[in-house]
Amino acid sequence: MITKLLIALALMALCVIVHAIGTTGAFRRIHQTPALNDPGFWPPTWLLIRIAGWLILLHLIEISLWALLYASGQAMPNLHTAFYFSAVTYTTTGYGDLVLPEAWRLVGGIEALTGILMCGWSTGFFFAVVNRMYRSRPAETAGN
């Protein structure tokens, strides 16, 4: 059990690395886009759509990493099932239609905690971008 927990902690650290690389890269690109300061509706909206898509892609990569662990460790019967279980666990939806073998159950809990942290990080990132958009707008267009 200790070995599985150490592997889960390493995978949590890998998720943090993936998220750090992804959000840092996005942050650098966002600062270069004129949509951030555009007073119109569509340029900033399309920027937010692209950011949301990018963040979801990061989460899907992280979910895939957990799924690979479950499939390779034979905690789930195949990769498709492991990906579904991982998505449900990472997002803390927890349908309960699939459960891990007893030796893997704490690993699932670590994935759920990791998912909460990564989703919170994404929310904070999204909020920071929206906040920056509103700070950079002239006072007369910020309320519209």
Side-chain angles (χ1 to χ4, degrees):
M1 179 170 71
I2 296 295
T3 302
K4 285 181 179 56
L5 288 176
L6 290 174
I7 292 169
L9 291 174
L11 202 48
M12 176 274 306
L14 185 57
C15 288
V16 170
I17 291 167
V18 168
H19 229 71
I21 290 169
T23 55
T24 301
F27 196 68
R28 288 181 180 153
R29 288 198 66 193
I30 289 166
H31 280 301
Q32 298 171 356
T33 180
L36 197 59
N37 301 317
D38 194 304
F41 175 77
W42 285 112
T45 300
W46 285 119
L47 176 62
L48 293 175
I49 290 169
R50 289 192 314 268
I51 291 169
W54 179 249
L55 292 172
I56 289 172
L57 177 64
L58 293 177
H59 290 292
L60 289 174
I61 291 168
E62 294 158 14
I63 287 166
S64 298
L65 294 171
W66 287 96
L68 288 170
L69 173 66
Y70 296 135
S72 67
Q74 291 155 354
M76 287 287 142
N78 55 54
L79 190 55
H80 181 266
T81 304
F83 187 82
Y84 167 77
F85 175 81
S86 182
V88 169
T89 302
Y90 182 96
T91 60
T92 68
T93 304
Y95 290 128
D97 54 344
L98 294 171
V99 293
L100 290 170
E102 189 173 335
W104 286 84
R105 290 190 184 153
L106 286 177
V107 173
I110 292 173
E111 181 185 6
L113 289 171
T114 302
I116 291 169
L117 288 171
M118 298 303 102
C119 289
W121 185 348
S122 292
T123 301
F125 180 79
F126 208 80
F127 178 81
V129 171
V130 171
N131 188 42
R132 171 78 198 290
M133 283 179 176
Y134 282 99
R135 276 191 327 196
S136 66
R137 289 180 174 216
E140 66 275 1
T141 61
N144 295 335

